[in-house]
Amino acid sequence: MGRLLILGAGIAGHTAAMHARHRLPAAHEVVVVSPNSQWNWIPSNIWVGTGYMKPEQVTFPLAPVYQKLGIPFHQARAVSVHPDGSPERPKPFVTVEYTSPERQGQTEQLEYDFLINATGPRLNFGATKGLGPEANSLSVCTYGHAAHTAAALKTSIERMKRGEPQTLLIGTGHGTCTCQGAAFEYLFNVEFELRRQGVRDKARLIWISNEAELGDFGMGGMFIRRGGYVTHSRVFAESLYTERGVEWITGAHVKEVGARESIYETLDGDERSVSHDFAMLLPPFTGVGLKAFDRAGTEITTDLFAPNHFMLVDADYRKKSYDEWSPADWPETYQSPKYPSIFAVGIAFAPPHPISKPMTSTKGTPIFPTPPRTGMPSGVMARQVALNIADMMTGRATAPTRKASLAHMGAACIASAGASVFNGSAVAMTVYPIVPDFKTYPDTGRELRYTTGEVGLAGHWVKHALHYAFIYKAKANPLWRAVPE
Amino acid sequence: MPLRKPFEQSYYPPLPTRWTRYWRTNIPWQFLRFLLLNVKMLRMVRKH
């Protein structure tokens, strides 16, 4: 009998837990540790942030689902990994600290045979002065943040209804942010909501982003065939921003967020400011800050984790210039090179380098998006890792056999641009591969047959359908495996 | 307020025509697009 311990119950961790439990005989144990009691369909948080949905529509309690699946669940946060055990405990283990009200603050050591780190990101609001819901800006990263943001938006709309003009600043709150897509969705859902409420003429909407150009989305943008041309997503993004009357600031590192004004540095080294009445700015991410110790209790965190606290896996982390990057740099099995029984999936793994070309301002400040690794790719890598581990635990394999490199994986992304059954819209995109391969596809980096994009109501229907389909699946309802990642 | 101001950032991007905007919310056409989008996403799933 073996035990697979999974840290995290977000999209990656929960997907891994469900597939591993389904694949493994009952004699083997799958255990989940998560500091949160609720599962959250994060892609719909942008709708909570405009008031289109309530937090309870994007969440459900994890404990009953794990009880149904026969998965022991610990509501706790992982503190440290001990891959060699300790003198008192010879097996590898993880120290956890409980967050549930009944065991708050208690610690426990949970042994494992295999470990999946799916702890996701730490929202690093501290990276920018004044950033975050506890300071001067809003967020939609969690359903709690999004509900708070919806209340602030409502207040802002009430002011506009009283005739008071408002400036809304939406985008990224630091030069190294990721998830531009989520901020993009929030921007256009706000714009749609303002029109719906009849106050669009009172609002000035400004997008601020660390992308060098609009339409980058942290993956270097994409080329699609449209109107007899092969055109970069920048053109389509600029078209949408213009059509919806949104101003944009790109190549921006937000240095300080004030109550009514924010200061940012641009790629040309200028320091500028922008006034606002409402600011929804996403934070940069780091790993959650797990520590690691060897058998003697000596800290070995740097053996397992990169300096940004994301976990080192089977990627090529050698320092290379943009021109030297290769699809082969990207991890395939997400296995720790030092400890083969440990894996990291979703945001928790350390990417070898960005996807977008790294840029620095003339003052040397890095201003470029870090790679997105959420949603569909996150679920796919979690499933593959879970199945690989199940095969190794049952003796079907001695090493991971399934691969899930972002350089050989496609993704579908539906970016909502307005929530309404008859008048809504979304930008529906597919890309293949996620990481561009300019050797195989010299002009565009991607296969044009599979890299597509369009704006329309159908995209909104798809996003809505996916919302219900993925929540249905995550609740482990009958035939859940029929819903793909 | 005018959508485009000469020589400002919004002056240069292409804008959709009324016809393009109409088809974006035309229900029968969008229903077909909905089916097609599902096929496209399934193609992505099959490529994993």
Side-chain angles (χ1 to χ4, degrees):
Chain A
M1 179 189 148
R3 177 189 274 179
L4 166 60
L5 182 62
I6 299 172
L7 308 179
I11 291 174
H14 191 62
T15 302
M18 290 172 74
H19 280 285
R21 183 64 281 164
H22 181 263
R23 183 84 165 181
L24 282 166
H28 296 283
E29 208 178 7
V30 177
V31 178
V32 173
V33 172
S34 170
N36 305 311
S37 64
Q38 303 286 309
W39 190 83
N40 178 202
W41 178 238
I42 292 169
S44 294
N45 283 356
I46 51 121
W47 284 339
V48 176
T50 58
Y52 178 69
M53 281 190 173
K54 300 283 173 215
E56 52 272 24
Q57 289 174 275
V58 301
T59 55
F60 63 79
L62 282 164
V65 176
Y66 288 140
Q67 194 174 16
K68 177 168 71 176
L69 291 170
I71 296 174
F73 172 56
H74 299 261
Q75 194 190 326
R77 71 179 184 92
V79 178
S80 56
V81 184
H82 304 257
D84 302 312
S86 68
E88 301 78 36
R89 195 180 277 273
K91 281 191 78 172
F93 65 90
V94 173
T95 303
V96 303
E97 183 182 303
Y98 284 89
T99 57
S100 57
E102 58 275 13
R103 296 189 68 181
Q104 180 87 37
Q106 291 177 22
T107 59
E108 190 173 343
Q109 295 175 342
L110 298 174
E111 292 181 353
Y112 66 83
D113 294 287
F114 284 89
L115 177 70
I116 296 179
N117 173 14
T119 45
R122 183 170 78 84
L123 306 176
N124 189 15
F125 289 110
T128 301
K129 193 179 172 191
L131 184 70
E134 289 174 12
N136 296 318
S137 66
L138 302 152
S139 153
V140 289
C141 290
T142 69
Y143 59 89
H145 289 172
H148 175 58
T149 300
L153 179 64
K154 195 177 169 192
T155 305
S156 200
I157 289 173
E158 281 164 6
R159 285 190 180 139
M160 288 184 239
K161 283 184 174 169
R162 290 199 297 267
E164 199 179 320
Q166 296 275 288
T167 299
L168 293 86
L169 182 70
I170 296 171
T172 56
H174 190 271
T176 60
C177 284
T178 183
C179 280
Q180 288 75 18
F184 170 96
E185 287 189 89
Y186 188 67
L187 170 75
F188 286 105
N189 274 269
V190 166
E191 196 277 337
F192 183 86
E193 184 63 15
L194 296 177
R195 274 190 283 136
R196 200 181 67 82
Q197 300 252 10
V199 293
R200 181 64 183 89
D201 59 328
K202 295 282 177 226
R204 183 181 174 207
L205 276 169
I206 304 173
W207 168 256
I208 188 163
S209 171
N210 57 346
E211 302 159 287
E213 303 289 352
L214 287 186
D216 182 281
F217 295 120
M219 51 180 194
M222 58 194 244
F223 286 94
I224 59 170
R225 283 199 190 107
R226 186 52 63 99
Y229 289 83
V230 174
T231 309
H232 193 266
S233 49
R234 168 187 159 177
V235 174
F236 293 103
E238 288 183 352
S239 172
L240 187 62
Y241 281 65
T242 302
E243 180 192 345
R244 306 279 283 264
V246 179
E247 298 165 45
W248 64 89
I249 300 165
T250 51
H253 162 61
V254 176
K255 296 178 78 170
E256 188 177 340
V257 183
R260 301 293 300 271
E261 187 180 63
S262 291
I263 298 164
Y264 62 96
E265 181 183 330
T266 59
L267 282 168
D268 55 19
D270 280 357
E271 197 165 294
R272 300 176 193 166
S273 66
V274 56
S275 300
H276 50 78
D277 303 288
F278 172 104
M280 197 301 288
L281 299 171
L282 296 183
F285 294 166
T286 66
V288 295
L290 276 170
K291 301 274 183 203
F293 298 93
D294 70 6
R295 193 174 185 79
T298 308
E299 187 167 348
I300 53 163
T301 304
T302 52
D303 287 355
L304 268 167
F305 297 95
N308 56 11
H309 308 294
F310 293 122
M311 211 180 93
L312 299 166
V313 291
D314 61 320
D316 184 348
Y317 292 108
R318 286 174 299 174
K319 231 182 171 75
K320 295 177 182 180
S321 69
Y322 176 75
D323 294 328
E324 293 171 315
W325 290 357
S326 156
D329 299 343
W330 288 82
E332 293 183 325
T333 64
Y334 302 91
Q335 187 175 34
S336 164
K338 185 107 180 175
Y339 294 98
S341 61
I342 302 181
F343 295 76
V345 292
I347 293 176
F349 86 86
H353 46 67
I355 299 175
S356 303
K357 189 173 183 176
M359 307 270 188
T360 51
S361 75
T362 53
K363 290 178 180 167
T365 307
I367 307 178
F368 57 88
T370 44
R373 44 209 190 279
T374 52
M376 189 176 185
S378 179
V380 171
M381 67 178 87
R383 182 194 64 208
Q384 300 298 64
V385 166
L387 298 181
N388 279 338
I389 291 173
D391 283 355
M392 289 190 282
M393 286 175 80
T394 51
R396 285 195 202 109
T398 53
T401 52
R402 295 171 186 80
K403 295 174 178 175
S405 167
L406 295 186
H408 303 291
M409 191 192 294
C413 176
I414 311 294
S416 176
S420 164
V421 178
F422 297 111
N423 299 311
S425 67
V427 183
M429 295 174 274
T430 57
V431 289
Y432 179 83
I434 297 169
V435 175
D437 178 352
F438 287 99
K439 280 189 185 127
T440 310
Y441 313 105
D443 292 332
T444 60
R446 294 194 177 93
E447 168 64 80
L448 286 181
R449 270 184 306 161
Y450 301 113
T451 303
T452 63
E454 66 180 76
V455 181
L457 178 59
H460 173 69
W461 294 340
V462 172
K463 180 148 175 115
H464 229 279
L466 292 178
H467 168 92
Y468 291 108
F470 282 114
I471 288 177
Y472 179 90
K473 176 182 179 166
K475 286 181 175 174
N477 283 319
L479 302 175
W480 64 265
R481 287 175 68 238
V483 180
E485 277 69 43
Chain B
M1 86 186 150
L3 192 61
R4 290 179 190 266
K5 287 182 185 166
F7 307 104
E8 291 194 357
Q9 63 179 188
S10 62
Y11 189 53
Y12 301 98
L15 275 175
T17 60
R18 222 171 119 181
W19 189 240
T20 301
R21 281 188 280 126
Y22 166 75
W23 286 110
R24 283 181 184 170
T25 50
N26 176 282
I27 302 289
W29 175 244
Q30 287 300 313
F31 182 70
L32 286 174
R33 300 309 303 171
F34 175 78
L35 298 178
L36 194 70
L37 282 174
N38 279 284
V39 171
K40 283 181 181 177
M41 287 194 299
L42 285 173
R43 277 200 313 190
M44 285 299 112
V45 170
R46 288 180 64 181
K47 288 190 83 66
H48 296 147

mmCIF file of all heavy atoms in Angstrom, chain A residues 143-158:
data_model
loop_
_atom_site.group_PDB
_atom_site.id
_atom_site.type_symbol
_atom_site.label_atom_id
_atom_site.label_comp_id
_atom_site.label_asym_id
_atom_site.label_seq_id
_atom_site.Cartn_x
_atom_site.Cartn_y
_atom_site.Cartn_z
ATOM 1 N N TYR A 143 -12.343 34.521 -4.735
ATOM 2 C CA TYR A 143 -13.761 34.898 -4.777
ATOM 3 C C TYR A 143 -14.065 35.953 -3.718
ATOM 4 O O TYR A 143 -14.952 36.792 -3.914
ATOM 5 C CB TYR A 143 -14.672 33.664 -4.654
ATOM 6 C CG TYR A 143 -14.494 32.857 -3.393
ATOM 7 C CD1 TYR A 143 -15.212 33.147 -2.246
ATOM 8 C CD2 TYR A 143 -13.598 31.788 -3.348
ATOM 9 C CE1 TYR A 143 -15.047 32.393 -1.087
ATOM 10 C CE2 TYR A 143 -13.429 31.038 -2.205
ATOM 11 C CZ TYR A 143 -14.154 31.340 -1.074
ATOM 12 O OH TYR A 143 -13.985 30.601 0.068
ATOM 13 N N GLY A 144 -13.302 35.935 -2.626
ATOM 14 C CA GLY A 144 -13.484 36.961 -1.583
ATOM 15 C C GLY A 144 -13.062 38.332 -2.097
ATOM 16 O O GLY A 144 -13.790 39.323 -1.935
ATOM 17 N N HIS A 145 -11.902 38.379 -2.728
ATOM 18 C CA HIS A 145 -11.445 39.643 -3.337
ATOM 19 C C HIS A 145 -12.469 40.131 -4.363
ATOM 20 O O HIS A 145 -12.785 41.321 -4.440
ATOM 21 C CB HIS A 145 -10.109 39.435 -4.073
ATOM 22 C CG HIS A 145 -8.942 39.221 -3.162
ATOM 23 N ND1 HIS A 145 -7.708 38.858 -3.637
ATOM 24 C CD2 HIS A 145 -8.825 39.321 -1.823
ATOM 25 C CE1 HIS A 145 -6.871 38.748 -2.622
ATOM 26 N NE2 HIS A 145 -7.525 39.019 -1.510
ATOM 27 N N ALA A 146 -12.960 39.195 -5.176
ATOM 28 C CA ALA A 146 -13.874 39.571 -6.265
ATOM 29 C C ALA A 146 -15.177 40.147 -5.713
ATOM 30 O O ALA A 146 -15.713 41.119 -6.258
ATOM 31 C CB ALA A 146 -14.141 38.360 -7.158
ATOM 32 N N ALA A 147 -15.671 39.571 -4.610
ATOM 33 C CA ALA A 147 -16.918 40.083 -4.018
ATOM 34 C C ALA A 147 -16.700 41.511 -3.496
ATOM 35 O O ALA A 147 -17.566 42.381 -3.647
ATOM 36 C CB ALA A 147 -17.363 39.154 -2.892
ATOM 37 N N HIS A 148 -15.542 41.738 -2.896
ATOM 38 C CA HIS A 148 -15.184 43.068 -2.403
ATOM 39 C C HIS A 148 -15.093 44.061 -3.573
ATOM 40 O O HIS A 148 -15.571 45.202 -3.492
ATOM 41 C CB HIS A 148 -13.843 42.942 -1.668
ATOM 42 C CG HIS A 148 -13.255 44.224 -1.188
ATOM 43 N ND1 HIS A 148 -13.910 45.076 -0.330
ATOM 44 C CD2 HIS A 148 -12.061 44.812 -1.456
ATOM 45 C CE1 HIS A 148 -13.144 46.129 -0.089
ATOM 46 N NE2 HIS A 148 -12.016 45.996 -0.767
ATOM 47 N N THR A 149 -14.515 43.592 -4.679
ATOM 48 C CA THR A 149 -14.372 44.430 -5.876
ATOM 49 C C THR A 149 -15.739 44.776 -6.461
ATOM 50 O O THR A 149 -15.969 45.908 -6.906
ATOM 51 C CB THR A 149 -13.494 43.695 -6.921
ATOM 52 O OG1 THR A 149 -12.221 43.456 -6.324
ATOM 53 C CG2 THR A 149 -13.302 44.509 -8.182
ATOM 54 N N ALA A 150 -16.659 43.803 -6.443
ATOM 55 C CA ALA A 150 -18.014 44.052 -6.964
ATOM 56 C C ALA A 150 -18.689 45.165 -6.167
ATOM 57 O O ALA A 150 -19.381 46.019 -6.743
ATOM 58 C CB ALA A 150 -18.840 42.774 -6.906
ATOM 59 N N ALA A 151 -18.482 45.162 -4.852
ATOM 60 C CA ALA A 151 -19.089 46.206 -4.007
ATOM 61 C C ALA A 151 -18.504 47.578 -4.360
ATOM 62 O O ALA A 151 -19.228 48.579 -4.440
ATOM 63 C CB ALA A 151 -18.856 45.866 -2.537
ATOM 64 N N ALA A 152 -17.187 47.613 -4.591
ATOM 65 C CA ALA A 152 -16.534 48.883 -4.948
ATOM 66 C C ALA A 152 -17.010 49.375 -6.318
ATOM 67 O O ALA A 152 -17.211 50.571 -6.522
ATOM 68 C CB ALA A 152 -15.020 48.703 -4.948
ATOM 69 N N LEU A 153 -17.193 48.425 -7.239
ATOM 70 C CA LEU A 153 -17.683 48.807 -8.574
ATOM 71 C C LEU A 153 -19.099 49.380 -8.482
ATOM 72 O O LEU A 153 -19.430 50.374 -9.137
ATOM 73 C CB LEU A 153 -17.656 47.590 -9.513
ATOM 74 C CG LEU A 153 -18.158 47.842 -10.934
ATOM 75 C CD1 LEU A 153 -17.256 48.834 -11.680
ATOM 76 C CD2 LEU A 153 -18.250 46.532 -11.722
ATOM 77 N N LYS A 154 -19.907 48.748 -7.622
ATOM 78 C CA LYS A 154 -21.289 49.222 -7.430
ATOM 79 C C LYS A 154 -21.286 50.664 -6.919
ATOM 80 O O LYS A 154 -22.048 51.511 -7.408
ATOM 81 C CB LYS A 154 -21.987 48.288 -6.433
ATOM 82 C CG LYS A 154 -23.479 48.438 -6.407
ATOM 83 C CD LYS A 154 -24.102 47.430 -5.458
ATOM 84 C CE LYS A 154 -25.573 47.792 -5.244
ATOM 85 N NZ LYS A 154 -26.158 47.042 -4.144
ATOM 86 N N THR A 155 -20.399 50.936 -5.967
ATOM 87 C CA THR A 155 -20.296 52.297 -5.420
ATOM 88 C C THR A 155 -19.895 53.281 -6.522
ATOM 89 O O THR A 155 -20.439 54.374 -6.636
ATOM 90 C CB THR A 155 -19.231 52.323 -4.291
ATOM 91 O OG1 THR A 155 -19.603 51.336 -3.341
ATOM 92 C CG2 THR A 155 -19.138 53.672 -3.624
ATOM 93 N N SER A 156 -18.938 52.857 -7.336
ATOM 94 C CA SER A 156 -18.458 53.702 -8.417
ATOM 95 C C SER A 156 -19.588 53.987 -9.420
ATOM 96 O O SER A 156 -19.748 55.120 -9.889
ATOM 97 C CB SER A 156 -17.293 52.983 -9.107
ATOM 98 O OG SER A 156 -16.519 53.880 -9.814
ATOM 99 N N ILE A 157 -20.377 52.962 -9.722
ATOM 100 C CA ILE A 157 -21.497 53.131 -10.673
ATOM 101 C C ILE A 157 -22.552 54.070 -10.081
ATOM 102 O O ILE A 157 -23.107 54.918 -10.786
ATOM 103 C CB ILE A 157 -22.094 51.746 -11.043
ATOM 104 C CG1 ILE A 157 -21.100 50.980 -11.923
ATOM 105 C CG2 ILE A 157 -23.434 51.895 -11.757
ATOM 106 C CD1 ILE A 157 -21.467 49.554 -12.227
ATOM 107 N N GLU A 158 -22.788 53.941 -8.772
ATOM 108 C CA GLU A 158 -23.761 54.853 -8.124
ATOM 109 C C GLU A 158 -23.300 56.306 -8.249
ATOM 110 O O GLU A 158 -24.098 57.207 -8.497
ATOM 111 C CB GLU A 158 -23.941 54.469 -6.648
ATOM 112 C CG GLU A 158 -24.877 53.271 -6.479
ATOM 113 C CD GLU A 158 -24.772 52.620 -5.112
ATOM 114 O OE1 GLU A 158 -24.053 53.156 -4.235
ATOM 115 O OE2 GLU A 158 -25.393 51.552 -4.939
#
